[in-house]
Amino acid sequence: MCGIVGYVGKPPVVGTVLDALSRLEYRGYDSAGIAVFNGRGIEVRKRVGKLKELIASLNTQPLEGQAAVGHTRWATHGEPSERNAHPHLDCRGELALVHNGIVENYAELKARLLGQGHRFRSQTDTEVIAHLVEEHAKRLPLAEAFRSALKELRGSYALCLIAKRDPTHLHGARAGSPLIVGLGRGEAFLASDVPAVLARTRRVIYLNEQEVVELSTSGVKLTTLNGTPVARKPSTVSWDLSAAQKEGYDHFMLKEIFEQPSAVERTLYNRLDAAKGQIAFDHRTRAFLSRLSSREKFVIIACGTAYHAGLVGGYMLEELAKIPVDVDLASEFRYRAPMLDRDTTVIAITQSGETADTLAGVRLAKEQGAKVLAICNVMGSSIPREADAVLYTHAGPEIAVASTKAYTSQLTVLYLLTLSLAKRRGLVKPARLRELLTTLGRLPRLIERSLAAEPAIKRIARRYARARNFYYLGRRYNFPSALEGALKLKEICPRIHAEGYAAGEMKHGPISLIRNGWPVVFLATDSTVYEKVVSNIEEVRARKGECLLIASEGNRAIRRHADALITVPKTEELFSPILIAAPLQLLAYHIARLNGCDIDQPPNLAKSVTVE
Ligand code: AGP
């Protein structure tokens, strides 16, 4: 949470930092600020609210200079206000610092610094770092003072600092929060994430944990916290700028919903040969899978939408690969006493690769001797780097807070993994495998057909946009779809309460809430539990609930149970969640739009949850 940017290079320095920040706003947007070295000293501008407030202020009263740091905030310590917004300064206003993370020992550090005469202006944990560097810099050169200050911090940070006494350099460091270096021509960046720099460069260096960087237009010096030099060549990222722009869509979320066929296609690319019945993974993953024992147990950990993908994965891995699977919320897993051993593989699913709870779960798993397989969308992020093997989704940058294409790409990887394991274990006949792989290869086209339901979905959204409570119900593979559909709606439309439930659980409580006109979205595609779902639909109708059904194309009989109907291509039950996803996302999107919600940046949320 929070996006940070640092820049040294050519003018307009402020415009460049603002442009980079605009591509990180998904990380937080309750206030924004910038500090610029103007040749004489450091000037700061901060505004509460979204980045556009800061931009408006800078348009009226411009700042310019040679180096700058900028920040877009998701508040942890201290309410969103100008004085709590970053950058934060030392006492003399001679160094400015932006931070993403939490300094857990800030109270004790602050007490000490106050005792040493430092004056604090904010309620944040971050400001202690500025004063701590100032204190160490009384005795040490800036780079050393920075490293000495870092050694005193507990918690997580990605930091970027500029200082009057060394204005041609940016100083950065990471521990627990992401930070990348972007190397352009005659310019250099530090940023929380790759999309920030894509407009200027695709040459990046990913910082590892506990690494420190000193950066200027003429070079990069990467070290450990102790100052030991670290050699790392820049990588070239394959994403291009269009992936981080709206390209004519009104919202990133809508663009990303419609990118799902290509995201799934890219995720399958070079991995699937349906005609030969083959699934190919990279060498490291193949070696990893070949080490799994016959007693292997899987524990899938993830948060939010990635957890819902994990739940679908649990069903398919048990059904087809006959591997026992627990699926756990990473935030719970890390605080219970999970029974892990050498025959356990923890599968960590994460779009960002930075989610704090999932990362903590990965570390716990490794401490206890389990193996870790990551399913992740962001190359070079923390979780894949700590995992024993990685299956990347190739969804491209996901900017909207509401996850869409990352979810369907995660499902795609889980299909590949499941079928590959089923094949390795001799649990699926060659002809059946080819049949399943052929359907897998057709998923991009089938998702396109699901997306074609948009006009019908828009009409349904108009009909139900004023409702304030929704249930989403499904069974088996589509119980997770129900959770995901409800999460999408409540996430982007905070005026609406939406709840996903296992349809079979309705009678155990929630059905008592159903009233006249209460919309209930039923996931009623053809499946082994279809008739059970139809019975649940009738129970809701008997209580005058409104049944919005998502059913398989060609199912005419279902019409008489439906107040509103959306159809998706008929497919095998295990593939139904990936075809149901787009209509659920579009339904949430259009309801939110009709309610005037801030779809890409819903209040109180941030895309990457890098704090607990
Ligand atoms: C999904 O729409 C949410 N924004 C959120 O639940 C997200 O899926 C969750 O925070 C996990 O993030 P990750 O995939 O980056 O780990």
Side-chain angles (χ1 to χ4, degrees):
M1 347 217 24
C2 300
I4 69 173
V5 172
Y7 179 74
V8 274
K10 343 174 227 274
V13 165
V14 171
T16 301
V17 170
L18 292 175
D19 181 65
L21 279 179
S22 71
R23 299 176 207 288
L24 293 181
E25 226 187 342
Y26 69 87
R27 302 180 69 87
Y29 33 81
D30 59 38
S31 52
I34 189 165
V36 188
F37 178 74
N38 64 10
R40 298 175 308 283
I42 289 175
E43 284 186 275
V44 179
R45 186 73 52 78
K46 303 176 183 188
R47 285 294 176 266
V48 175
K50 294 196 172 173
L51 188 62
K52 63 179 188 214
E53 305 298 333
L54 179 67
I55 294 173
S57 153
L58 288 162
N59 284 341
T60 327
Q61 289 177 288
L63 295 179
E64 199 38 77
Q66 297 146 12
V69 290
H71 190 267
T72 175
R73 182 169 186 242
W74 189 90
T76 58
H77 292 59
E79 55 171 11
S81 66
E82 274 186 27
R83 89 190 153 117
N84 288 334
H86 302 212
H88 290 287
L89 303 175
D90 63 341
C91 295
R92 291 186 297 177
E94 292 188 350
L95 66 84
L97 175 130
V98 288
H99 171 218
N100 164 210
I102 291 183
V103 181
E104 287 166 3
N105 57 337
Y106 87 100
E108 76 195 55
L109 291 171
K110 187 169 179 175
R112 192 182 89 205
L113 289 160
L114 282 168
Q116 289 168 322
H118 290 263
R119 295 185 314 279
F120 281 76
R121 303 175 185 89
S122 77
Q123 304 159 310
T124 64
D125 53 333
T126 301
E127 196 183 348
V128 298
I129 312 173
H131 293 280
L132 207 52
V133 179
E134 179 184 27
E135 190 58 34
H136 286 284
K138 287 178 184 165
R139 295 172 286 107
L140 296 169
L142 185 63
E144 259 180 76
F146 185 51
R147 288 200 305 271
S148 299
L150 296 177
K151 286 185 195 159
E152 294 204 60
L153 303 180
R154 278 205 317 273
S156 60
Y157 54 77
L159 291 168
C160 182
L161 173 148
I162 53 168
K164 182 179 171 184
R165 93 188 220 197
D166 184 16
T168 55
H169 284 90
L170 300 173
H171 297 264
R174 76 159 279 178
S177 300
L179 190 65
I180 60 128
V181 171
L183 298 168
R185 287 211 184 114
E187 59 185 5
F189 293 83
L190 280 173
S192 299
D193 199 356
V194 170
V197 303
L198 275 181
R200 303 290 270 263
T201 183
R202 284 159 62 181
R203 285 180 69 226
V204 303
I205 298 175
Y206 298 95
L207 260 70
N208 283 340
E209 285 297 281
Q210 316 265 325
E211 283 182 350
V212 184
V213 66
E214 203 181 325
L215 187 64
S216 71
T217 52
S218 50
V220 189
K221 193 169 148 197
L222 197 59
T223 68
T224 63
L225 272 187
N226 290 324
T228 311
V230 174
R232 184 161 316 127
K233 287 201 179 128
S235 345
T236 303
V237 291
S238 56
W239 296 351
D240 64 19
L241 183 61
S242 66
Q245 288 175 328
K246 281 193 210 152
E247 293 196 305
Y249 284 92
D250 289 341
H251 297 95
F252 276 111
M253 182 181 177
L254 192 61
K255 178 187 173 222
E256 289 163 5
I257 289 173
F258 277 91
E259 278 176 349
Q260 289 179 107
S262 56
V264 169
E265 194 145 30
R266 276 197 304 276
T267 301
L268 291 172
Y269 181 72
N270 264 349
R271 286 171 164 165
L272 178 68
D273 186 335
K276 291 193 183 145
Q278 281 173 3
I279 295 167
F281 292 133
D282 62 274
H283 171 70
R284 191 169 152 212
T285 308
R286 277 203 313 275
F288 179 90
L289 295 179
S290 67
R291 286 199 304 272
L292 302 185
S293 80
S294 55
R295 298 177 304 279
E296 199 74 19
K297 174 182 109 181
F298 284 174
V299 181
I300 298 179
I301 59 166
C303 300
T305 289
Y307 168 68
H308 299 154
L311 287 172
V312 178
Y315 283 96
M316 65 175 94
L317 282 159
E318 290 198 332
E319 186 180 11
L320 282 99
K322 304 286 178 224
I323 295 175
V325 187
D326 284 338
V327 187
D328 212 348
L329 290 161
S331 53
E332 288 300 312
F333 172 81
R334 65 181 290 193
Y335 290 118
R336 61 183 179 86
M339 312 261 289
L340 310 175
D341 57 25
R342 285 170 47 209
D343 292 327
T344 310
T345 291
V346 169
I347 303 179
I349 307 179
T350 170
Q351 188 285 129
S352 62
E354 300 292 348
T355 299
D357 286 320
T358 312
L359 183 56
V362 164
R363 289 177 179 160
L364 174 71
K366 296 197 81 175
E367 268 162 38
Q368 299 204 359
K371 299 176 282 301
V372 175
L373 172 66
I375 296 178
C376 184
N377 195 43
V378 179
M379 295 218 184
S381 56
S382 300
I383 290 170
R385 280 188 300 175
E386 298 202 15
D388 298 301
V390 189
L391 284 168
Y392 279 106
T393 50
H394 295 294
E398 193 181 61
I399 308 288
V401 166
S403 184
T404 53
K405 62 178 180 170
Y407 172 67
T408 41
S409 301
Q410 287 158 356
L411 292 180
T412 304
V413 164
L414 287 162
Y415 292 132
L416 287 165
L417 177 65
T418 302
L419 294 174
S420 151
L421 290 168
K423 182 182 174 188
R424 276 170 182 269
R425 295 180 157 220
L427 293 167
V428 53
K429 297 212 167 84
R432 174 70 178 139
L433 181 65
R434 280 197 299 278
E435 191 178 50
L436 288 165
L437 293 182
T438 301
T439 308
L440 187 52
R442 289 178 57 226
L443 285 179
R445 304 290 79 81
L446 296 175
I447 295 171
E448 274 169 12
R449 274 169 52 196
S450 288
L451 287 164
E454 193 189 22
I457 295 168
K458 270 185 177 171
R459 284 194 296 278
I460 295 169
R462 276 198 291 277
R463 196 159 139 198
Y464 294 103
R466 293 165 76 90
R468 286 297 164 259
N469 291 289
F470 282 72
Y471 273 143
Y472 285 72
L473 301 178
R475 281 175 178 258
R476 216 169 168 247
Y477 279 95
N478 285 312
F479 163 49
S481 302
L483 299 178
E484 176 58 9
L487 177 64
K488 285 287 90 76
L489 183 58
K490 64 186 147 194
E491 187 176 21
I492 61 169
C493 195
R495 294 176 198 176
I496 293 178
H497 162 244
E499 203 174 344
Y501 235 90
E505 280 291 296
M506 278 301 273
K507 287 197 266 309
H508 300 283
I511 203 163
S512 66
L513 287 173
I514 300 289
R515 301 270 176 284
N516 204 1
W518 182 308
V520 182
V521 179
F522 272 101
L523 308 175
T525 45
D526 293 0
S527 72
T528 50
V529 286
Y530 170 74
E531 280 163 10
K532 308 278 173 209
V533 175
V534 170
S535 303
N536 298 138
I537 294 170
E538 282 313 304
E539 287 155 10
V540 168
R541 283 170 68 83
R543 286 156 183 84
K544 307 257 182 293
E546 290 270 313
C547 294
L548 286 61
L549 310 187
I550 300 185
S552 301
E553 282 171 4
N555 181 354
R556 299 165 77 85
I558 196 129
R559 291 190 187 157
R560 67 188 173 85
H561 304 282
D563 295 296
L565 181 65
I566 298 165
T567 58
V568 294
K570 189 173 162 70
T571 184
E572 304 253 3
E573 186 172 356
L574 85 149
F575 294 120
S576 59
I578 201 166
L579 300 187
I580 280 175
L584 290 174
Q585 296 157 355
L586 285 168
L587 184 65
Y589 174 84
H590 286 292
I591 291 176
R593 197 172 173 146
L594 290 162
N595 276 281
C597 300
D598 192 344
I599 290 174
D600 282 340
Q601 295 173 344
N604 298 319
L605 294 180
K607 187 155 186 72
S608 297
V609 183
T610 55
V611 293
E612 270 190 73

